[in-house]
Structure formats: C-alpha cells, structure tokens
C-alpha cells in the first residue's frame, strides 16, 4: 500500500469520526431545550468573548453541546477527559473541528497521558475552569500557580469534586472562587438521583445481559446518587440492601423500607454491589472472602478506588475477560467475582456506556452555563473559596425547562410574598 493511500485512508477515517461525533451531538441537542435556549441568547450576546475556558469533563455527546455552547458564546475552549475511559473519540474529533475548540480528550489513556492532556488544556492560560472531579483545579494549584491571578473562577460538576474542593477550602489552599454546581437543587435532585440511578443500572444490565428481578443489590452509600440507585433498583424488582457510615442516612434508608447492614454482612448476601460513596476502600479483602460465586462489582462513584482491586487481584488465582466490559477474578476455591468497567464509573466507562439520560444532563449543563456567565459578569463578587450557586440562577434553569415542556406553575401573590417575609403575622 502506498504512503498516499495510507494518508488518504487516515483522512477518510478522521472525517468519518467527525461525522459520527456530530451525529451523536445533534441527536442529543434535539433533547436539550435548556442549552438550546441559552445558545440562542449567548450567540446573540457573545458574553464569553475574550474568555479562555479550560475544561476537564466526560467528553461525550451531551457534554459536547455544553462545550460548543461556550465556544459559540465567544470563548476559546480547550477540553480533555476527566476519566480515562469515558471519552467518545468521535465526539472529541467533532469538537476539535470547531474553530474555537481544541479537544485533547482520548479514550483509553494511561495515567501519564491523562495528566499530560490536562496540562495541555491549561496551556491556553484559562480565565475560567470547568471541572468534573477537581483534577483541573488541583493541577492549577500544584503545577500552574502563576495562572491563579488571571482566573475569574471555576465550576465543579460532581460530588467527589466538591468534597475535594471543600477540603481544600478548609485548609486555606483554594485560591480562586469555584461554584459547587453539584450541590444546587437542579443538579442534585435530578442528575444525581435520576441520572446516576437510571444510567448505572441500565449500563450494568446491558453490559451483563442480566435481569435485576429477584437479585439482592447492595448499594454502598445513601446520598443523592445512592438514593436514586436504590429507588430504581427496587422499581425493577430487586431486593435492595444499603450500607452507610452516616447514621441519619442509614435511618432514612431503613425508613424507606430497605435493609440496612454493615458491608461485612451485606457481602455474604449480595448478588450485585454498586459503590457510590466517593470514598476509598469501601469493598475490601475481607468482603471478597465472603462473597458468593458470580457476584457483580460495579462503581458509580467518581474514582476507581471504592473497590480494592489490588486486594482482589492478590486473592485471585486467575483473571480473564468473561464478557466485554466484565473481568472475572477467579479465586482459589473456584468462586468468580466479576468487576465491571475496570472499577471505574460504570455508567460512563463500560464499553457501551452513554452516561446519564440527555434530558437530565441538559439541566446540569444549563446550570454550568449560567454559572460560567455569572463568573464573567460578576467575578468581583466572589472571593476565593467554594461558593453555592446563586438560587436565582438555579430557578432560572428550572423555568426554562418548564417552559420547554409546556408546564405552567403558580406564582406568589403580593400578599403571600409579604406574609412569608414577615415575622409579625402570628396565629
């Protein structure tokens, strides 16, 4: 084969990838009315002209529409992945074709390549960061402190990232303002509950071709994501067990009708284990030793540290691919413990993963978009540290969604508003 033919084929493959990525983005865009309304506004106003936005996100079709919205609003955008296995390469290629977007996201990178891409994104000397997991913010502080003075602020998408940011803030180490997008009602009540609940269970079922009915599903963690997983699993006729370390959440799960027990006990009865704590070493050697043959181990938290895979590997006499996206660890006694998506985010890192439903991410990314504009318009109002999203911005995103769905709702009368704001009205 001639060199010319090889180059031609590579160009054809690249064009095919961009076309497929665009097709995925266009499908998602049809179902993202919030971003579509904001796109119309931002294209007209160009609020991000002159801004440079560095992003570390799950680069797939829904995220791509947020990235493109910011670029169409005037920004120069550089983006990479926030998980080595969640990027859709065709979507990354489609983004990179935009004149104001550079995408460094690539699926299947090792740790060194992952952080090299983050550093490449930061080479644009950003004025705003948009993060999912806080790796971008950490890189700024550890490797590029000279950028801090020029940063207006940032936005953080996920629970784990906000936990890390708050710890950083408490230590006095966070040197620019970051919105905790994850903690706002439009994110928590929909993305975490419905998004994680539906997408994690759907991807596990599609990856394994197994039913939920009659299985005992152990949910480790009963925050917003765990609550959604438990509700959705019970709705598909699974028996749900919850493990928790926080007494009020454990009590809430108990009063919702779920069995609550320590992981040491749950390990003996579970068929499927889904971790969603944001913490490390949730399922460890002692738990593996008492699990049944054939269990499924999945993580729907952010990082691949919730299931102790190193300990499982030490216990295993053999390990092999049982099915695409499923690795079996066979123990000395013949029991097989099956790990999905290498212990990474099962709803984004499995071979067939598509992430959260489009409509759910439209809401979350709508909040991201209005927060980026808030930083551009009112950066002086925010000191370094973690900030809640202004409630009026969150409500505005909800109003756009309701209008798009043709849903009308009541408003307070002047008398009601006065009553609710007064302490003088008694019995």
């Amino acid at each position: 084969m001639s060199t010319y033919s090889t180059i031609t084929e590579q160009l054809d493959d690249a064009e095919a990838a961009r076309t497929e990525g665009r097709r995925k983005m266009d499908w998602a865009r049809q179902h993202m009315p919030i971003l579509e309304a904001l796109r119309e506004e931002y294209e007209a106003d160009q609020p991000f002209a002159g801004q440079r936005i560095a992003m570390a996100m799950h680069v797939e079709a829904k995220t791509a529409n947020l990235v493109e919205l910011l670029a169409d609003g005037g920004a120069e955008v550089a983006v990479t992945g926030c998980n080595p296995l969640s990027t859709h390469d065709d979507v990354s290629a489609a983004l990179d074709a935009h004149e104001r977007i550079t995408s460094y996201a690539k699926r299947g990178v090792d740790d060194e390549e992952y952080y090299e891409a983050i550093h490449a994104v930061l080479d644009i000397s950003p004025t705003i960061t948009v993060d999912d997991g806080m790796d971008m913010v950490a890189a700024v502080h550890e490797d590029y402190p000279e950028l801090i003075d020029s940063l207006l602020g940032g936005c953080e998408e996920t629970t784990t990232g906000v936990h890390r940011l708050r710890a950083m803030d408490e230590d006095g180490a966070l040197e620019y303002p970051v919105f905790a997008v994850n903690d706002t009602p439009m994110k928590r009540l929909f993305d975490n509950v419905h998004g994680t609940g539906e997408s994690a269970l759907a991807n596990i079922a599609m990856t394994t071709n197994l039913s939920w009915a009659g299985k005992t599903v152990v949910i480790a963690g009963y925050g917003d994501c765990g609550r959604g997983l438990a509700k959705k699993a019970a709705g598909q006729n699974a028996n749900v067990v919850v493990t928790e370390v926080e007494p009020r959440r454990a009590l809430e799960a108990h009063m919702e009708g779920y069995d609550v027990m320590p992981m040491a006990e749950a390990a003996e009865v579970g068929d499927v284990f889904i971790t969603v704590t944001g913490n490390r070493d949730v399922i460890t050697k002692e738990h593996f030793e008492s699990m049944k043959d054939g269990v499924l181990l999945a993580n729907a938290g952010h990082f691949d540290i919730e299931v102790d895979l190193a300990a499982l590997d030490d216990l295993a006499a053999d390990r092999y691919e049982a099915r695409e996206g499923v690795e079996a660890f066979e123990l000395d006694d013949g029991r097989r413990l099956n790990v999905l998506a290498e212990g990474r985010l099962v709803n984004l890192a499995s071979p067939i993963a598509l992430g959260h439903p489009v409509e759910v991410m439209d809401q979350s990314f709508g909040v991201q978009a209005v927060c980026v504009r808030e930083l551009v318009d009112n950066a002086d109002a925010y000191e370094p540290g973690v900030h809640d999203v202004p409630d009026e911005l969150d409500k505005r995103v909800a109003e756009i969604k309701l209008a798009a769905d043709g849903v009308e709702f009541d408003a307070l009368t002047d008398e009601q508003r006065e009553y609710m704001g007064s302490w003088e009205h008694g019995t």
Side-chain angles (χ1 to χ4, degrees):
M1 181 180 294
S2 70
T3 301
Y4 178 79
S5 297
T6 302
I7 293 172
T8 300
E9 288 181 3
Q10 289 174 344
L11 291 173
D12 288 345
D13 289 345
E15 181 58 33
R18 287 192 291 270
T19 300
E20 178 62 14
R22 172 55 58 183
R23 188 171 71 95
K24 291 180 179 179
M25 291 170 61
D26 288 346
W27 169 258
R29 182 172 171 178
Q30 291 179 51
H31 305 279
M32 303 183 83
I34 298 171
L35 288 195
E36 201 62 16
L38 293 174
R39 184 188 297 268
E40 183 177 344
E41 174 186 329
Y42 292 178
E43 284 182 341
D45 295 349
Q46 292 291 291
F48 308 132
Q51 302 300 324
R52 299 177 301 279
I53 302 177
M55 305 179 72
M57 306 284 282
H58 299 292
V59 178
E60 46 76 59
K62 300 177 291 292
T63 312
N65 280 303
L66 170 64
V67 178
E68 195 168 67
L69 166 65
L70 299 177
D72 289 345
E76 176 189 351
V77 183
V79 61
T80 188
C82 64
N83 183 296
L85 292 177
S86 64
T87 292
H88 289 208
D89 288 334
D90 50 2
V91 172
S92 181
L95 279 176
D96 201 56
H98 192 290
E99 63 181 357
R100 286 200 292 270
I101 299 172
T102 304
S103 179
Y104 296 95
K106 183 179 178 182
R107 184 181 179 90
V109 296
D110 59 25
D111 285 351
E112 182 178 355
E113 293 170 315
Y114 175 80
Y115 288 105
E116 283 178 353
I118 288 178
H119 293 163
V121 166
L122 290 173
D123 283 343
I124 68 168
S125 299
T127 55
I128 291 172
T129 62
V130 179
D131 221 344
D132 190 319
M134 210 204 85
D135 283 348
M136 183 76 70
V137 175
V140 168
H141 286 78
E142 293 170 4
D143 303 319
Y144 297 85
E146 68 277 7
L147 298 178
I148 291 172
D149 288 343
S150 61
L151 279 164
L152 300 177
C155 301
E156 170 53 52
E157 170 76 10
T158 199
T159 306
T160 297
V162 171
H163 285 170
R164 295 177 72 195
L165 282 169
R166 293 198 186 280
M168 193 177 183
D169 195 11
E170 288 173 5
D171 288 344
L174 181 56
E175 297 189 37
Y176 66 93
V178 182
F179 280 127
V181 172
N182 177 80
D183 291 1
T184 196
M186 282 295 287
K187 169 68 164 63
R188 282 189 302 104
L189 299 179
F190 303 99
D191 184 307
N192 293 356
V193 175
H194 296 286
T196 300
E198 292 181 18
S199 65
L201 295 181
N203 276 285
I204 293 171
M206 290 188 293
T207 298
T208 64
N209 197 32
L210 298 176
S211 171
W212 293 106
K215 285 188 173 59
T216 296
V217 179
V218 178
I219 309 295
Y222 199 70
D224 291 313
C225 294
R227 189 177 299 110
L229 280 164
K231 178 180 180 180
K232 306 292 183 178
Q236 296 189 59
N237 300 320
N239 304 308
V240 176
V241 172
V242 171
T243 71
E244 248 299 344
V245 296
E246 211 288 327
R248 291 161 296 186
R249 289 181 175 176
L251 179 58
E252 180 187 5
H254 168 67
M255 295 188 72
E256 287 293 330
Y258 305 122
D259 291 328
V260 179
M261 63 185 72
M263 182 60 78
E265 295 179 20
E268 299 178 1
V269 300
D271 299 306
V272 183
F273 296 79
I274 308 174
T275 59
V276 62
T277 70
N279 210 334
R280 63 175 305 126
D281 303 329
V282 178
I283 301 179
T284 61
K285 178 182 177 181
E286 66 168 307
H287 307 129
F288 301 138
E289 290 173 338
S290 61
M291 287 180 176
K292 298 187 291 186
D293 178 37
V295 301
L296 305 179
L297 299 169
N299 170 42
H302 190 77
F303 295 115
D304 59 338
I305 56 174
E306 304 209 19
V307 180
D308 190 349
L309 296 178
L312 182 55
D313 188 46
D314 288 342
L315 287 174
D318 189 20
R319 55 187 290 185
Y320 55 89
E321 186 179 55
R323 181 180 172 88
E324 188 178 14
V326 181
E327 187 170 21
F329 290 73
E330 187 169 336
L331 308 187
D332 287 330
D333 59 8
R335 285 180 298 129
R336 293 152 297 181
L337 311 186
N338 299 291
V339 175
L340 277 61
E342 300 179 19
R344 298 188 183 276
L345 276 169
V346 70
N347 57 331
L348 281 157
S350 68
I352 58 172
L354 296 174
H356 288 2
V358 177
E359 300 93 334
V360 168
M361 293 314 302
D362 186 35
Q363 297 180 183
S364 297
F365 290 153
V367 178
Q368 288 276 20
V370 297
C371 284
V372 171
R373 181 155 193 177
E374 175 69 8
L375 288 170
V376 171
D377 292 345
N378 299 299
D380 292 342
Y382 300 97
E383 296 293 326
V386 179
H387 294 267
D388 292 333
V389 174
D391 200 46
E392 63 270 18
L393 296 182
D394 202 50
K395 287 180 178 178
R396 184 186 172 215
V397 173
E399 289 168 355
I400 294 172
K401 175 64 172 176
L402 288 168
D405 286 355
V407 177
E408 298 182 358
F409 62 103
D410 283 326
L412 292 174
T413 64
D414 290 341
E415 291 79 8
Q416 288 174 322
R417 191 174 290 106
E418 188 273 332
Y419 177 83
M420 295 297 290
S422 173
W423 56 269
E424 295 178 324
H425 299 287
T427 57

